[in-house]
Amino acid sequence: MTQMKSAIGKLKIFSFGSNSRCQLSLPTGEDVSVPTLVGKQFEVRRPLEPQHLELVSNGNHTLLRLKHVVYSVGDNSFGQCFQSPSTEPIRSFEPVSQLLPANMTPVKIAAGWEFSVVVYENKSTGGQAMYVAGTGPRGELGLGPNVRVCAQQHVVPSFPPAGRRINRLAAGMSHVVAVLDDGTAYGWGNARQGQLGPEHVACRTGVWAPAAIALPDGFSPADVACGTHFTAFTSTSGQVVVLTSKDKHGVITDVPEQRGLLRSGWTSLHMLQGTGDITSWGNNSHGQHRPEQAPKAAMMACGSEHTIVLDRDTERAVYAWGWGEHGNCGQQQDGEQQRQHVVVTMPRQVFSVDSQDGHTNHRIVYLAAGCAASWIFMVEDE
């Protein structure tokens, strides 16, 4: 019997928020407070596998990994979009054009303030290589002592170690952490605030190449999330370990007992439980913590100081809260004061599939958030 091929569908991307360098893949260069359809659309095979879709956004640039291709958009002053450096931003998603060794496919991406990381995997051997581009004044590129700028993509030497694979990858503004398949963790970049563990705090100018991070005995990391000055790990059993030397916002002292999917903002942490409830801790100066009125969530994405979620009951509406100065939490609503527009403490509905002309037969498959930026991905129902 001939096996039926999976159907082809259009992936439609809506973005809103900070767009000064066109990092939303909207060419106007102006902030947007209404989710706006990105001009570039992509064909995907349905069902779309979750591991084939990933978007990361930091500073003023964005990376999109869609199965076997990485796309970039936004500020490219230092080559952080893996394109030739230019003072002119990239205004819509463009495939990374620089040449790679044959038979390599991207499997992980991360973005810091002005640098980017892509992990490629050899489809034949399973071996991995990590490439970086951009600028990192505290070792964020991981290329060795005092390598601050890499205008063309460059492979990080001897990482991951021979025979090892990167299972998880995350970046804060100025540091990067990788969790390997043997349960070890490595980090590089800014370490002064203890985000790479106490053993690296003395590296005042940064950790310039991937270095092992000491974790508690018996702790096996399953996932990692990076804030500005901390790194948070979850274990295979759901335990949380947070690394920072100055617990200014209580990200260590207020770790909850609940277990779930961990995500990070600049100064706060958020955990999506299997029940759809969200537990938030850390800084709440901009309404980052989950409001009591928030719906149960089927998906969650955390940006610099805001959160967006997919309503679990309908799976057709998206809500936002937190710091929304650039429109990343939607439009100011009638009756709201100006501060409420900037600091959204009540869950605000920012998107509904049913309100999109011609798209009511679509479903939301992915959410992403970055530096005052929000993203919603839809595909047509099968």
Side-chain angles (χ1 to χ4, degrees):
M1 180 181 294
T2 302
Q3 185 176 6
M4 294 183 63
K5 293 184 178 179
S6 55
I8 301 294
K10 292 284 188 181
L11 179 68
K12 298 181 179 180
I13 306 173
F14 293 79
S15 62
F16 52 111
S18 179
N19 191 45
S20 62
R21 299 292 288 169
C22 304
Q23 61 265 39
L24 296 180
S25 194
L26 301 174
T28 62
E30 298 177 353
D31 292 357
V32 177
S33 61
V34 176
T36 302
L37 182 63
V38 170
K40 190 176 186 70
Q41 297 183 28
F42 304 88
E43 286 190 345
V44 294
R45 290 195 176 275
R46 299 176 295 172
L48 181 63
E49 299 295 334
Q51 67 269 25
H52 291 158
L53 175 59
E54 183 181 13
L55 183 143
V56 293
S57 185
N58 205 335
N60 292 318
H61 73 292
T62 301
L63 300 181
L64 169 65
R65 180 176 63 84
L66 185 58
K67 201 169 183 179
H68 301 312
V69 181
V70 173
Y71 300 86
S72 60
V73 69
D75 186 21
N76 190 46
S77 301
F78 298 97
Q80 61 263 50
C81 284
F82 292 99
Q83 312 284 1
S84 297
S86 173
T87 56
E88 179 68 17
I90 299 170
R91 295 182 178 273
S92 65
F93 281 122
E94 296 292 342
V96 170
S97 59
Q98 297 175 20
L99 296 177
L100 290 169
N103 212 31
M104 299 291 277
T105 187
V107 292
K108 298 283 185 296
I109 56 176
W113 191 248
E114 291 178 320
F115 66 93
S116 300
V117 186
V118 179
V119 177
Y120 288 91
E121 186 171 289
N122 188 299
K123 290 182 283 187
S124 298
T125 67
Q128 292 184 340
M130 187 171 71
Y131 286 78
V132 294
T135 183
R138 293 190 177 276
E140 295 94 324
L141 298 176
L143 294 175
N146 299 317
V147 180
R148 291 173 167 82
V149 179
C150 178
Q152 301 291 327
Q153 69 178 23
H154 198 289
V155 66
V156 176
S158 304
F159 194 80
R164 298 270 65 91
R165 295 161 53 86
I166 298 173
N167 278 352
R168 295 288 188 271
L169 181 70
M173 292 177 68
S174 58
H175 74 291
V176 187
V177 175
V179 174
L180 306 189
D181 58 351
D182 62 352
T184 57
Y186 286 75
W188 57 98
N190 189 7
R192 293 179 63 181
Q193 288 80 23
Q195 55 266 68
L196 301 183
E199 66 273 25
H200 296 300
V201 170
C203 301
R204 308 298 290 175
T205 64
V207 175
W208 292 84
I213 296 174
L215 294 170
D217 291 342
F219 182 89
S220 179
D223 205 354
V224 61
C226 293
T228 302
H229 299 311
F230 63 82
T231 301
F233 297 90
T234 51
S235 71
T236 52
S237 63
Q239 181 185 359
V240 177
V241 166
V242 182
L243 301 180
T244 187
S245 58
K246 296 180 180 179
D247 193 16
K248 179 179 178 181
H249 299 295
V251 291
I252 293 178
T253 56
D254 296 335
V255 170
E257 296 181 358
Q258 291 86 350
R259 300 291 181 260
L261 176 71
L262 183 66
R263 292 292 181 262
S264 178
W266 279 351
T267 57
S268 59
L269 285 161
H270 311 269
M271 182 173 290
L272 174 60
Q273 300 154 43
T275 60
D277 295 307
I278 296 171
T279 301
S280 302
W281 71 103
N283 187 21
N284 193 36
S285 62
H286 290 79
Q288 300 96 314
H289 288 194
R290 174 197 176 274
E292 290 186 3
Q293 302 84 354
K296 290 184 181 296
M299 299 178 190
M300 175 183 72
C302 298
S304 47
E305 302 286 13
H306 76 291
T307 296
I308 61 173
V309 300
L310 176 64
D311 178 15
R312 195 176 74 161
D313 289 340
T314 66
E315 295 195 356
R316 299 180 72 79
V318 176
Y319 291 80
W321 60 83
W323 181 60
E325 181 177 359
H326 293 278
N328 47 293
C329 290
Q331 281 186 309
Q332 182 174 357
Q333 299 177 357
D334 292 343
E336 289 183 339
Q337 301 298 317
Q338 180 61 30
R339 174 171 169 76
Q340 178 70 355
H341 174 53
V342 175
V343 180
V344 181
T345 56
M346 295 286 288
R348 176 187 287 170
Q349 183 174 316
V350 295
F351 186 87
S352 171
V353 175
D354 299 321
S355 67
Q356 303 300 312
D357 293 340
H359 295 141
T360 55
N361 62 335
H362 287 61
R363 62 188 177 88
I364 297 170
V365 296
Y366 185 74
L367 300 178
C371 182
S374 303
W375 305 79
I376 300 167
F377 290 69
M378 292 198 316
V379 295
E380 189 174 4
D381 267 328
E382 295 181 74

Short mmCIF file of all heavy atoms in Angstrom, two decimals, residues 13-57:
data_model
loop_
_atom_site.label_atom_id
_atom_site.label_comp_id
_atom_site.label_asym_id
_atom_site.label_seq_id
_atom_site.Cartn_x
_atom_site.Cartn_y
_atom_site.Cartn_z
N ILE A 13 2.31 34.02 10.17
CA ILE A 13 2.93 34.56 11.36
C ILE A 13 2.43 35.98 11.59
O ILE A 13 2.45 36.82 10.69
CB ILE A 13 4.47 34.58 11.21
CG1 ILE A 13 4.99 33.18 10.86
CG2 ILE A 13 5.13 35.09 12.49
CD1 ILE A 13 6.48 33.16 10.54
N PHE A 14 1.98 36.24 12.82
CA PHE A 14 1.56 37.57 13.24
C PHE A 14 2.56 38.07 14.28
O PHE A 14 2.94 37.33 15.19
CB PHE A 14 0.16 37.54 13.85
CG PHE A 14 -0.93 37.20 12.86
CD1 PHE A 14 -1.17 35.89 12.49
CD2 PHE A 14 -1.72 38.19 12.30
CE1 PHE A 14 -2.16 35.56 11.59
CE2 PHE A 14 -2.72 37.88 11.40
CZ PHE A 14 -2.95 36.55 11.04
N SER A 15 2.96 39.34 14.17
CA SER A 15 3.90 39.90 15.12
C SER A 15 3.44 41.28 15.56
O SER A 15 2.72 41.96 14.84
CB SER A 15 5.31 39.98 14.51
OG SER A 15 5.32 40.83 13.38
N PHE A 16 3.86 41.67 16.79
CA PHE A 16 3.53 43.00 17.30
C PHE A 16 4.49 43.35 18.43
O PHE A 16 5.04 42.48 19.10
CB PHE A 16 2.07 43.10 17.77
CG PHE A 16 1.61 42.04 18.74
CD1 PHE A 16 1.31 42.37 20.05
CD2 PHE A 16 1.45 40.72 18.35
CE1 PHE A 16 0.86 41.41 20.95
CE2 PHE A 16 0.99 39.75 19.24
CZ PHE A 16 0.69 40.10 20.54
N GLY A 17 4.70 44.67 18.61
CA GLY A 17 5.62 45.14 19.64
C GLY A 17 6.71 46.01 19.06
O GLY A 17 6.52 46.75 18.09
N SER A 18 7.89 45.93 19.67
CA SER A 18 9.03 46.76 19.28
C SER A 18 9.53 46.36 17.90
O SER A 18 9.79 45.19 17.63
CB SER A 18 10.14 46.62 20.32
OG SER A 18 11.26 47.38 19.96
N ASN A 19 9.70 47.37 17.03
CA ASN A 19 10.05 47.08 15.64
C ASN A 19 11.00 48.13 15.06
O ASN A 19 11.04 48.34 13.86
CB ASN A 19 8.77 47.00 14.78
CG ASN A 19 9.03 46.44 13.40
OD1 ASN A 19 9.72 45.44 13.23
ND2 ASN A 19 8.46 47.09 12.37
N SER A 20 11.79 48.79 15.92
CA SER A 20 12.62 49.90 15.47
C SER A 20 13.64 49.48 14.43
O SER A 20 14.06 50.29 13.60
CB SER A 20 13.33 50.54 16.67
OG SER A 20 14.19 49.59 17.30
N ARG A 21 14.07 48.20 14.46
CA ARG A 21 15.02 47.70 13.48
C ARG A 21 14.41 46.59 12.63
O ARG A 21 15.10 45.72 12.11
CB ARG A 21 16.29 47.20 14.18
CG ARG A 21 17.03 48.26 14.97
CD ARG A 21 17.66 49.32 14.08
NE ARG A 21 18.82 48.78 13.36
CZ ARG A 21 19.44 49.41 12.37
NH1 ARG A 21 18.99 50.59 11.96
NH2 ARG A 21 20.49 48.87 11.79
N CYS A 22 13.07 46.63 12.50
CA CYS A 22 12.32 45.68 11.66
C CYS A 22 12.44 44.24 12.17
O CYS A 22 12.27 43.29 11.41
CB CYS A 22 12.77 45.75 10.20
SG CYS A 22 12.64 47.40 9.49
N GLN A 23 12.69 44.07 13.48
CA GLN A 23 12.86 42.73 14.04
C GLN A 23 11.57 41.93 14.07
O GLN A 23 11.59 40.72 14.32
CB GLN A 23 13.47 42.81 15.44
CG GLN A 23 12.64 43.58 16.46
CD GLN A 23 13.08 45.04 16.59
OE1 GLN A 23 13.40 45.69 15.60
NE2 GLN A 23 13.12 45.54 17.81
N LEU A 24 10.42 42.57 13.79
CA LEU A 24 9.15 41.84 13.69
C LEU A 24 8.92 41.29 12.29
O LEU A 24 7.88 40.71 12.02
CB LEU A 24 7.98 42.77 14.05
CG LEU A 24 7.93 43.30 15.49
CD1 LEU A 24 6.70 44.19 15.66
CD2 LEU A 24 7.90 42.17 16.50
N SER A 25 9.88 41.50 11.40
CA SER A 25 9.73 41.17 9.98
C SER A 25 8.60 41.99 9.36
O SER A 25 7.91 41.53 8.46
CB SER A 25 9.48 39.67 9.76
OG SER A 25 9.65 39.34 8.39
N LEU A 26 8.43 43.20 9.88
CA LEU A 26 7.52 44.19 9.30
C LEU A 26 8.38 45.36 8.85
O LEU A 26 9.11 45.95 9.65
CB LEU A 26 6.49 44.64 10.34
CG LEU A 26 5.61 43.53 10.93
CD1 LEU A 26 4.72 44.09 12.04
CD2 LEU A 26 4.75 42.87 9.85
N PRO A 27 8.34 45.75 7.58
CA PRO A 27 9.34 46.66 7.01
C PRO A 27 9.20 48.12 7.40
O PRO A 27 10.06 48.92 7.06
CB PRO A 27 9.12 46.49 5.50
CG PRO A 27 7.69 46.08 5.36
CD PRO A 27 7.40 45.23 6.56
N THR A 28 8.17 48.51 8.14
CA THR A 28 7.94 49.91 8.45
C THR A 28 8.99 50.50 9.39
O THR A 28 9.26 51.70 9.35
CB THR A 28 6.57 50.11 9.10
OG1 THR A 28 6.54 49.39 10.34
CG2 THR A 28 5.47 49.60 8.19
N GLY A 29 9.58 49.68 10.25
CA GLY A 29 10.51 50.19 11.25
C GLY A 29 9.83 50.94 12.37
O GLY A 29 10.47 51.68 13.11
N GLU A 30 8.52 50.74 12.54
CA GLU A 30 7.75 51.39 13.60
C GLU A 30 7.10 50.34 14.49
O GLU A 30 6.74 49.26 14.04
CB GLU A 30 6.67 52.29 12.99
CG GLU A 30 7.22 53.43 12.14
CD GLU A 30 6.12 54.25 11.50
OE1 GLU A 30 4.93 53.86 11.61
OE2 GLU A 30 6.44 55.30 10.89
N ASP A 31 6.94 50.69 15.78
CA ASP A 31 6.29 49.77 16.71
C ASP A 31 4.85 49.49 16.27
O ASP A 31 4.20 50.35 15.66
CB ASP A 31 6.27 50.36 18.12
CG ASP A 31 7.66 50.44 18.73
OD1 ASP A 31 8.62 49.98 18.08
OD2 ASP A 31 7.78 50.97 19.85
N VAL A 32 4.37 48.29 16.60
CA VAL A 32 3.05 47.85 16.18
C VAL A 32 2.32 47.29 17.40
O VAL A 32 2.87 46.47 18.13
CB VAL A 32 3.16 46.75 15.10
CG1 VAL A 32 1.78 46.24 14.71
CG2 VAL A 32 3.88 47.28 13.87
N SER A 33 1.09 47.76 17.67
CA SER A 33 0.33 47.28 18.83
C SER A 33 -0.79 46.32 18.46
O SER A 33 -1.46 45.81 19.35
CB SER A 33 -0.24 48.48 19.61
OG SER A 33 -1.11 49.23 18.80
N VAL A 34 -0.99 46.08 17.17
CA VAL A 34 -2.00 45.13 16.71
C VAL A 34 -1.28 43.97 16.02
O VAL A 34 -0.43 44.21 15.14
CB VAL A 34 -2.98 45.79 15.72
CG1 VAL A 34 -3.96 44.75 15.18
CG2 VAL A 34 -3.73 46.92 16.40
N PRO A 35 -1.55 42.71 16.40
CA PRO A 35 -0.90 41.60 15.71
C PRO A 35 -1.08 41.72 14.20
O PRO A 35 -2.20 41.79 13.70
CB PRO A 35 -1.63 40.37 16.27
CG PRO A 35 -2.05 40.79 17.64
CD PRO A 35 -2.42 42.25 17.50
N THR A 36 0.04 41.77 13.49
CA THR A 36 0.05 42.08 12.06
C THR A 36 0.66 40.93 11.29
O THR A 36 1.71 40.39 11.67
CB THR A 36 0.84 43.37 11.80
OG1 THR A 36 0.26 44.44 12.56
CG2 THR A 36 0.84 43.74 10.33
N LEU A 37 0.01 40.54 10.21
CA LEU A 37 0.47 39.40 9.42
C LEU A 37 1.78 39.74 8.73
O LEU A 37 1.89 40.73 8.01
CB LEU A 37 -0.59 39.03 8.38
CG LEU A 37 -0.28 37.82 7.49
CD1 LEU A 37 -0.18 36.55 8.34
CD2 LEU A 37 -1.35 37.66 6.42
N VAL A 38 2.79 38.92 8.98
CA VAL A 38 4.09 39.08 8.34
C VAL A 38 3.94 38.75 6.87
O VAL A 38 3.31 37.76 6.50
CB VAL A 38 5.13 38.17 9.02
CG1 VAL A 38 6.42 38.12 8.22
CG2 VAL A 38 5.38 38.64 10.45
N GLY A 39 4.55 39.61 6.03
CA GLY A 39 4.37 39.43 4.59
C GLY A 39 4.90 38.11 4.07
O GLY A 39 4.29 37.49 3.19
N LYS A 40 6.01 37.65 4.61
CA LYS A 40 6.59 36.39 4.15
C LYS A 40 5.87 35.22 4.79
O LYS A 40 5.74 35.14 6.00
CB LYS A 40 8.08 36.33 4.48
CG LYS A 40 8.82 35.17 3.83
CD LYS A 40 10.30 35.23 4.13
CE LYS A 40 11.08 34.18 3.37
NZ LYS A 40 11.14 34.46 1.94
N GLN A 41 5.34 34.33 3.96
CA GLN A 41 4.67 33.14 4.46
C GLN A 41 5.45 31.90 4.03
O GLN A 41 6.21 31.93 3.07
CB GLN A 41 3.22 33.09 3.96
CG GLN A 41 2.39 34.26 4.48
CD GLN A 41 0.94 34.18 4.03
OE1 GLN A 41 0.41 33.11 3.79
NE2 GLN A 41 0.30 35.33 3.93
N PHE A 42 5.24 30.82 4.76
CA PHE A 42 6.04 29.63 4.56
C PHE A 42 5.13 28.42 4.34
O PHE A 42 4.10 28.28 5.00
CB PHE A 42 6.93 29.37 5.79
CG PHE A 42 7.82 30.52 6.14
CD1 PHE A 42 7.37 31.53 7.00
CD2 PHE A 42 9.10 30.61 5.63
CE1 PHE A 42 8.19 32.59 7.34
CE2 PHE A 42 9.93 31.67 5.97
CZ PHE A 42 9.47 32.66 6.82
N GLU A 43 5.53 27.56 3.43
CA GLU A 43 4.82 26.31 3.26
C GLU A 43 5.39 25.28 4.23
O GLU A 43 6.61 25.16 4.39
CB GLU A 43 4.96 25.80 1.83
CG GLU A 43 4.14 26.57 0.81
CD GLU A 43 4.10 25.89 -0.54
OE1 GLU A 43 4.93 24.98 -0.77
OE2 GLU A 43 3.25 26.26 -1.37
N VAL A 44 4.50 24.54 4.90
CA VAL A 44 4.93 23.52 5.85
C VAL A 44 4.11 22.26 5.63
O VAL A 44 2.98 22.31 5.12
CB VAL A 44 4.74 23.99 7.32
CG1 VAL A 44 5.68 25.15 7.63
CG2 VAL A 44 3.29 24.39 7.59
N ARG A 45 4.69 21.16 5.99
CA ARG A 45 3.95 19.89 5.95
C ARG A 45 3.16 19.74 7.24
O ARG A 45 3.65 20.05 8.31
CB ARG A 45 4.91 18.71 5.77
CG ARG A 45 5.54 18.67 4.38
CD ARG A 45 6.18 17.32 4.10
NE ARG A 45 6.70 17.26 2.75
CZ ARG A 45 6.00 16.94 1.68
NH1 ARG A 45 4.71 16.65 1.81
NH2 ARG A 45 6.55 16.92 0.48
N ARG A 46 1.92 19.30 7.10
CA ARG A 46 1.08 19.09 8.27
C ARG A 46 0.93 17.59 8.52
O ARG A 46 0.85 16.81 7.56
CB ARG A 46 -0.29 19.73 8.05
CG ARG A 46 -0.23 21.24 7.85
CD ARG A 46 -1.60 21.81 7.55
NE ARG A 46 -2.09 21.29 6.27
CZ ARG A 46 -3.33 21.49 5.81
NH1 ARG A 46 -4.20 22.17 6.53
NH2 ARG A 46 -3.70 21.00 4.66
N PRO A 47 0.90 17.17 9.78
CA PRO A 47 0.99 18.03 10.96
C PRO A 47 2.41 18.57 11.15
O PRO A 47 3.39 17.88 10.85
CB PRO A 47 0.60 17.11 12.11
CG PRO A 47 0.99 15.74 11.62
CD PRO A 47 0.74 15.75 10.14
N LEU A 48 2.50 19.80 11.63
CA LEU A 48 3.79 20.44 11.87
C LEU A 48 4.36 19.94 13.18
O LEU A 48 3.76 20.10 14.24
CB LEU A 48 3.61 21.96 11.91
CG LEU A 48 4.87 22.80 12.13
CD1 LEU A 48 5.85 22.60 10.97
CD2 LEU A 48 4.51 24.27 12.27
N GLU A 49 5.51 19.31 13.12
CA GLU A 49 6.13 18.77 14.32
C GLU A 49 6.71 19.90 15.17
O GLU A 49 7.39 20.79 14.64
CB GLU A 49 7.24 17.79 13.95
CG GLU A 49 6.77 16.58 13.16
CD GLU A 49 5.84 15.69 13.97
OE1 GLU A 49 5.95 15.70 15.22
OE2 GLU A 49 5.00 15.01 13.37
N PRO A 50 6.45 19.91 16.49
CA PRO A 50 6.93 21.01 17.35
C PRO A 50 8.43 21.23 17.28
O PRO A 50 8.91 22.36 17.36
CB PRO A 50 6.48 20.58 18.75
CG PRO A 50 5.34 19.64 18.52
CD PRO A 50 5.64 18.94 17.24
N GLN A 51 9.20 20.14 17.12
CA GLN A 51 10.65 20.28 17.11
C GLN A 51 11.17 20.96 15.85
O GLN A 51 12.35 21.30 15.76
CB GLN A 51 11.33 18.92 17.28
CG GLN A 51 11.14 17.95 16.12
CD GLN A 51 9.94 17.05 16.29
OE1 GLN A 51 8.99 17.41 16.99
NE2 GLN A 51 9.97 15.89 15.67
N HIS A 52 10.29 21.19 14.88
CA HIS A 52 10.70 21.81 13.62
C HIS A 52 10.44 23.31 13.59
O HIS A 52 10.71 23.96 12.58
CB HIS A 52 9.98 21.15 12.45
CG HIS A 52 10.42 19.74 12.20
ND1 HIS A 52 9.63 18.81 11.53
CD2 HIS A 52 11.56 19.08 12.55
CE1 HIS A 52 10.27 17.66 11.47
NE2 HIS A 52 11.44 17.80 12.08
N LEU A 53 9.92 23.87 14.67
CA LEU A 53 9.57 25.28 14.69
C LEU A 53 10.11 25.94 15.96
O LEU A 53 9.82 25.51 17.06
CB LEU A 53 8.05 25.45 14.62
CG LEU A 53 7.49 26.87 14.73
CD1 LEU A 53 8.03 27.76 13.64
CD2 LEU A 53 5.96 26.83 14.68
N GLU A 54 10.90 27.00 15.78
CA GLU A 54 11.49 27.70 16.92
C GLU A 54 11.78 29.14 16.51
O GLU A 54 12.34 29.38 15.44
CB GLU A 54 12.77 26.99 17.36
CG GLU A 54 13.44 27.56 18.59
CD GLU A 54 14.73 26.82 18.95
OE1 GLU A 54 15.24 26.03 18.11
OE2 GLU A 54 15.23 27.05 20.06
N LEU A 55 11.40 30.10 17.35
CA LEU A 55 11.74 31.50 17.13
C LEU A 55 12.35 32.06 18.39
O LEU A 55 11.83 31.87 19.49
CB LEU A 55 10.50 32.32 16.73
CG LEU A 55 10.79 33.80 16.39
CD1 LEU A 55 9.89 34.27 15.24
CD2 LEU A 55 10.58 34.72 17.60
N VAL A 56 13.47 32.77 18.24
CA VAL A 56 14.11 33.46 19.35
C VAL A 56 14.36 34.91 18.92
O VAL A 56 14.70 35.18 17.77
CB VAL A 56 15.43 32.79 19.78
CG1 VAL A 56 15.16 31.42 20.38
CG2 VAL A 56 16.41 32.69 18.62
N SER A 57 14.16 35.83 19.86
CA SER A 57 14.32 37.25 19.56
C SER A 57 14.92 37.95 20.77
O SER A 57 14.47 37.74 21.90
CB SER A 57 12.94 37.85 19.22
OG SER A 57 13.05 39.19 18.81
#
